[in-house]
Amino acid sequence: MTSDDLAAFAYGLPKAELHVHLEGTLEPELRFALAERNGIELAEKTVDEMRATYVFDDLTSFLAVYYPAMAVLVTADDFDDLAWAYLERARANGVRHVEMFFDPQAHTSRGVAFDTVIQGLRRAVVRAEAELGIDAALVLCFLRDLPTDSAMATLEEALPYRDWIVGVGLDSDERDNPPTKFEAVFRRARAEGLRLTMHCDIDQVGSIDSIRWVLEELRVDRIDHGTNIVEDPALVEALVGSGIGLTCCPVSNSFVTASMKGAEMVDLLARGARVTLNSDDPAYFGGYVADNYVRLAEQYALGRDTLAQLAINSFEASWLPAERVAAYVAEVREFVAAQ
Ligand code: ADE
Ligand code: ZN
């Protein structure tokens, strides 16, 4: 495949995105526009100046840039505009279904009401179905570097909006904040009928123990990142047997660790794991979901069949009803057959 053919195939391929933080899709241009609308003065005056501040080499240094940028998100319209801008880009990346993370505590801790956040996001979700043909769902993420009580209070605040949320996740700084810290919150969320996923970030202290616990004890419905599972072949077998998806983010990995961790993804795929490709925080890492397909394919000489398998995995690892999954998988096969 020429690089043009590869890009056209990767962009056109119908796919689901299962690991994208809406706050991580806040592009500098929108950040400036929202700052102006809300009368907030920013230190930087141009997009280039702003991008020049996006300097990070690990998760902690990334988060130190990511959270302050959210100060421009104040009204329901701001959250609507944020989600809408992402959804339009997602459409151009061949996304047919998306399960999007949002971080309510990053906003309620600044005095923005939970209701404001979710009403704005929900408006974009509803419009996306009507105007973009994307079915979009929201996944509420708890910030693992805040106390457990705060997560539980956030879950309770979310319950009146239960029908607008498909599941819960766990993000932010994993160091000293293992999944076990949130066992009670996640068990409660499951009792409320929500799906469960958790970040098991790359190369953390105790990564393999965290992965084992979420898979075998808590029994999550998906794992975000999780490629350190290759350290334990028996656990890989358990993962494959469970059919649980891993939401991998090669471009993001290359910013917060020394590599894309592509070799691990390719190896896990070959062993039958439900590996999926996703963008994580594309406004900061410079690649939306189709770019993640392109980058992995270029580096590991992946062919169309492998990319199509990754797209099929993305639907099979989603939380859509079985008949919708089957319909989207058929769409992938039709797309490939028409090439
Ligand atoms: N929050 C936003 N992006 C994240 C990431 N890549 N890892 C953990 N928490 C996050
Ligand atoms: Zn993430």
Side-chain angles (χ1 to χ4, degrees):
M1 269 194 284
T2 67
S3 62
D4 282 355
D5 288 346
L6 169 62
F9 185 82
Y11 271 75
L13 196 57
K15 60 182 74 63
E17 177 150 51
L18 306 177
H19 185 158
V20 58
H21 301 264
L22 279 171
E23 294 87 346
T25 71
L26 178 58
E27 292 285 348
E29 291 81 357
L30 183 59
R31 207 175 143 196
F32 278 117
L34 297 183
E36 184 163 345
R37 188 156 90 190
N38 292 317
I40 294 170
E41 184 147 4
L42 297 176
E44 303 82 25
K45 298 295 167 223
T46 67
V47 167
D48 286 345
E49 266 177 50
M50 187 173 282
R51 283 202 197 284
T53 69
Y54 291 1
V55 178
F56 25 75
D57 57 7
D58 61 11
L59 183 55
T60 309
S61 53
F62 163 66
L63 294 171
V65 172
Y66 170 77
Y67 289 118
M70 295 177 200
V72 300
L73 295 163
V74 181
T75 66
D77 282 349
D78 301 341
F79 288 93
D80 183 351
D81 289 350
L82 173 72
W84 185 254
Y86 161 72
L87 287 160
E88 284 191 312
R89 284 198 158 91
R91 187 73 194 105
N93 275 247
V95 171
R96 307 285 288 109
H97 172 70
V98 56
E99 296 171 10
M100 312 181 287
F101 294 138
F102 69 113
D103 286 339
Q105 290 155 294
H107 312 301
T108 53
S109 62
R110 300 183 285 117
V112 178
F114 184 91
D115 182 72
T116 301
V117 177
I118 199 157
Q119 295 285 358
L121 298 179
R122 173 70 187 172
R123 287 205 311 244
V125 164
V126 171
R127 260 177 83 207
E129 175 134 33
E131 295 179 29
L132 300 174
I134 295 185
D135 65 73
L138 294 171
V139 179
L140 185 164
C141 272
F142 303 109
L143 301 187
R144 67 198 314 160
D145 43 1
L146 293 185
T148 316
D149 290 357
S150 169
M152 192 64 98
T154 301
L155 176 60
E156 277 165 9
E157 214 172 353
L159 289 178
Y161 310 89
R162 165 72 194 79
D163 293 348
W164 293 357
I165 298 168
V166 68
V168 294
L170 185 66
D171 64 3
S172 206
D173 203 338
E174 189 163 333
R175 193 177 38 187
D176 301 326
N177 298 299
T180 46
K181 173 177 166 186
F182 293 92
E183 178 171 6
V185 180
F186 276 70
R187 291 201 186 280
R188 172 83 195 279
R190 174 180 281 143
E192 297 290 347
L194 293 159
R195 302 294 195 114
L196 311 186
T197 187
M198 285 179 157
H199 277 55
C200 291
D201 257 298
I202 311 292
D203 296 344
Q204 298 290 309
V205 175
S207 270
I208 196 68
D209 298 327
S210 294
I211 294 167
R212 185 176 300 108
W213 187 82
V214 302
L215 205 54
E216 295 189 338
E217 299 299 324
L218 186 59
R219 295 178 168 270
V220 288
D221 299 296
R222 207 154 61 213
I223 298 177
D224 300 312
H225 299 295
T227 47
N228 286 80
I229 197 168
V230 296
E231 294 163 19
D232 183 339
L235 208 50
V236 173
E237 264 183 48
L239 175 79
V240 172
S242 73
I244 296 289
L246 293 187
T247 65
C248 300
C249 309
V251 172
S252 158
N253 291 349
S254 68
F255 277 85
V256 296
T257 74
S259 88
M260 284 202 281
K261 302 292 176 187
E264 287 85 339
M265 293 170 204
V266 171
D267 177 35
L268 287 164
L269 203 52
R271 293 202 239 169
R274 240 173 215 155
V275 172
T276 69
L277 299 187
N278 306 274
S279 68
D280 209 0
D281 300 287
Y284 294 91
F285 303 136
Y288 281 77
V289 61
D291 304 318
N292 280 268
Y293 282 66
V294 170
R295 288 279 300 280
L296 194 71
E298 280 173 349
Q299 187 130 355
Y300 292 90
L302 305 182
R304 290 181 177 182
D305 288 353
T306 307
L307 296 186
Q309 185 61 54
L310 286 160
I312 289 169
N313 288 354
S314 72
F315 292 113
E316 290 182 341
S318 78
W319 295 334
L320 284 166
E323 66 278 7
R324 301 293 301 278
V325 172
Y328 282 128
V329 169
E331 254 189 60
V332 175
R333 296 199 199 286
E334 277 162 32
F335 174 84
V336 173
Q339 297 302 302

